[in-house]
Amino acid sequence: MIGLGCMRLSTAADRDPERAIAVIHAALDAGVTLLDTADAYAHDDTEIGHNERLIAEALRTWGGDRETVEVATKGGLRRPGGRWVPDGRAKHLRAACEASLKALGVAAIDLYQLHVVDPRTALETSVRALAALQQDGLVRRVGLCNVTVGQIVAARAIVDIDAVQVGMSPFDDAALRNGVAEYCRDEGIRLIAWRPLGGERAGRLDKDTALKRIARRHETTVHEIVLAWLCDLAPDLVPIPGATRVETAASLARVRNLRLDDQDRAQLDARFPAGRLLRIPRAERRPADDAPGEVVLVLGMPGAGKTTAALELADAGYARLNRDERGGRLADLVDALDEGCAAGGRRWVLDNTYPSRSTRGDVIECAWRHGVPVRCVQVDTPLAEAQINAVERLIERYGRLPMPEELRADGRTDHRCFGPDAQFRWERQFEPPVLEEGYTAIDRRAFVRRARPDFDTAAVILEVDDILCASASGAAVALDPDDVMVPDTGRALVREHITQGLLPLAIAWRPQIETGETNVERVAESFARLRAELGIDLDIAHCPHRAGPPVCWCRKPLPGLILEFRARYRLDLTRSVLVGRSAADRTMADRLGMRFLDTGASGD
């Protein structure tokens, strides 16, 4: 089966309604039975439903049997100003579906798909909205687009999923490698492949030697060979090329009649090896669990502490492959594993983040090609602990807390140099490992922080603003040295903790440096005045970065400033006190294992 992706008939700058309808007619005459559209296929939100109205007109004016054609549309994207903005709210999906019914001129939509997972809306909320539309008779079947295996499983617990739509082409094999294609095949779910010829990269197909050789043998084009290859991978795989010319739409008839033989498949497997994951059953690829040797895949977020687990295995005789040491890409590690196994190595450990099934799948398939089973070790490290690990590693590397611009520059060659966004991104992308990926076992390892007996100094770390320092002029913070005023409560707190034998330290947030309201020199002068007013040589660390998504390790509640103090003064944080008054202060203290003293209100 083959379909027609109709998006470009409405989104192309040079679109033409008459030509678009002629293209759809040519595709239908060629035997296409699935037309894929979406309410968002338009130039912007002023013409939502443009593509659906085109299809409705094409079907109305086509001389064939409308009952043989399935129309699949989508909801869950808005087009403000021509942008693509996810909106998976139930209210939006209901309104979008009702508008699509009107645009298509039908009483019920054949296949209604969630266009994209909205990161601001729980997937379950969106899927329940689709289920309600089906229950109300507005849609016959429900589908998903651009999802992971875990998301498909979660959705199926709510409603039957008839189809999953993903990008798939010789240049886009993620759905083959991440388990989605195999899962859909095994569960009998239709897999719709959008952009099957590679989109902007389609021109590369004409230059591919293997494809040209097969095309010559069949007296056809390389594009038709690619579409036939996709159709051949699984019975329920439906490519939807986005033809915009009558000639290319008409050529789909030749694709429907094109049959590949074993020689073609062998050559295509060699050129595009991910395809064999669908064609060759897993049982034929997977070695016995008790086969000699073992590849251990250690995964966890950046800073999770994977190195400790990997080094233990290395000490037991496993050869270690790690990107931090070797540099390069994860694919380079797979190449190294392939070479090592081919040379007779049977015990390997790879420790990297491996957030997705596709990154892990490459390792598994490589090991299986050499008859080596794979075990997974997942390092379960809470985000707060991983943040501490990351900062400590950076301070060890730089001798201080690095700034975001340094991390961006050095991170190009040293994967240990990353900002907090890397861990947040990993959390968003992480697909928990499951045995179905092909592991002999999944061992979950809890992170345990080792005590540092040589770190034995106890300190009190005080927030500067509202506790140690107030503005004499009534400003939010004292940016000018002459504006510095020390509240009596602040003096008392410092004296009290010094008397208890704690080392006094202080932290502050000065986003005004980045916004240009002040500069580093003036901030240093105001801190010098504060020291003079307190009468102590107080070490003060500050974050100069503005509010917004975290790019630095020094803005509360991230632990950078305090961990820099810890390294400098060899602090025992379990015996230290953080004095503050905000939720961020309390969060930071809890994450670091410090006692928190809440001042409750600003001084006067």
Side-chain angles (χ1 to χ4, degrees), residues 481 522-534 536 540:
R522 293 297 283 171
V523 167
E525 291 172 8
S526 66
F527 288 165
R529 175 62 66 86
L530 176 60
R531 294 187 189 94
E533 291 291 325
L534 287 170
I536 58 173
I540 305 173

Side-chain angles (χ1 to χ4, degrees), residues 160-188:
D160 286 340
I161 299 299
D162 177 83
V164 170
Q165 187 169 154
V166 293
M168 188 184 296
S169 77
F171 309 122
D172 182 3
D173 59 5
L176 292 167
R177 295 185 296 108
N178 66 13
V180 167
E182 279 191 272
Y183 178 86
C184 290
R185 179 202 61 196
D186 295 343
E187 296 296 319

Side-chain angles (χ1 to χ4, degrees), residues 323-367:
R323 189 172 61 160
D324 291 345
E325 295 180 348
R326 290 172 168 258
R329 306 165 303 149
L330 287 177
D332 297 330
L333 298 183
V334 177
D335 290 342
L337 177 64
D338 191 32
E339 294 172 4
C341 288
R346 304 288 297 185
R347 302 175 76 198
W348 300 88
V349 57
L350 293 85
D351 56 308
N352 292 280
T353 58
Y354 294 117
S356 66
R357 287 179 66 134
S358 61
T359 56
R360 304 191 293 260
D362 289 345
V363 176
I364 294 170
E365 290 295 330
C366 177

